[in-house]
Amino acid sequence: MFRLWARTFKDNHMLQDTCICDGSADTRTHKIFRALDEICVQFDLGKPIWLDKTVKDFKRHNKVRFNQDNFIEDIDFDYLEIQVIEEDS
């Protein structure tokens, strides 16, 4: 099972969170993008842009923060954090 945890924060307080589970046999990259699409629907957000820094952070830590620089429209929180909490073995 693949699980991705997403949370939004404002002034160091968590506003909302969700956990997306994916049991498909798809690639890790496809699971991440599909989960991010579902997160954006649940949180009513536009899709964030993966900048070089965010890609590097995600590869290194399995966690990344998307701030205003990653979104085209204005956001009403400080950042969206996604983290892989379980991967297929």
Side-chain angles (χ1 to χ4, degrees):
M1 179 66 63
F2 175 86
R3 293 189 311 153
L4 188 78
W5 187 22
R7 305 175 289 175
T8 58
F9 288 88
K10 174 93 174 172
D11 299 325
N12 290 326
H13 293 280
M14 185 171 58
L15 301 176
Q16 54 189 347
D17 74 321
T18 188
C19 185
I20 307 297
C21 301
D22 190 337
S24 70
D26 215 346
T27 65
R28 180 179 192 262
T29 303
H30 287 138
K31 290 178 184 181
I32 291 166
F33 284 124
R34 197 169 38 247
L36 189 56
D37 288 345
E38 190 171 332
I39 290 162
C40 290
V41 169
Q42 285 185 22
F43 292 173
D44 192 27
L45 298 172
K47 289 184 189 177
I49 299 167
W50 288 84
L51 303 173
D52 290 340
K53 180 189 180 310
T54 52
V55 172
K56 188 184 331 178
D57 286 346
F58 192 71
K59 285 180 180 179
R60 180 175 292 140
H61 304 291
N62 279 338
K63 177 165 75 171
V64 70
R65 291 180 177 179
F66 296 102
N67 58 27
Q68 181 62 62
D69 294 340
N70 299 94
F71 291 92
I72 294 173
E73 71 280 348
D74 288 333
I75 55 174
D76 59 350
F77 52 87
D78 293 332
Y79 60 89
L80 164 69
E81 181 177 88
I82 63 170
Q83 178 179 7
V84 176
I85 56 175
E86 183 180 347
E87 291 206 54
D88 303 324
S89 33

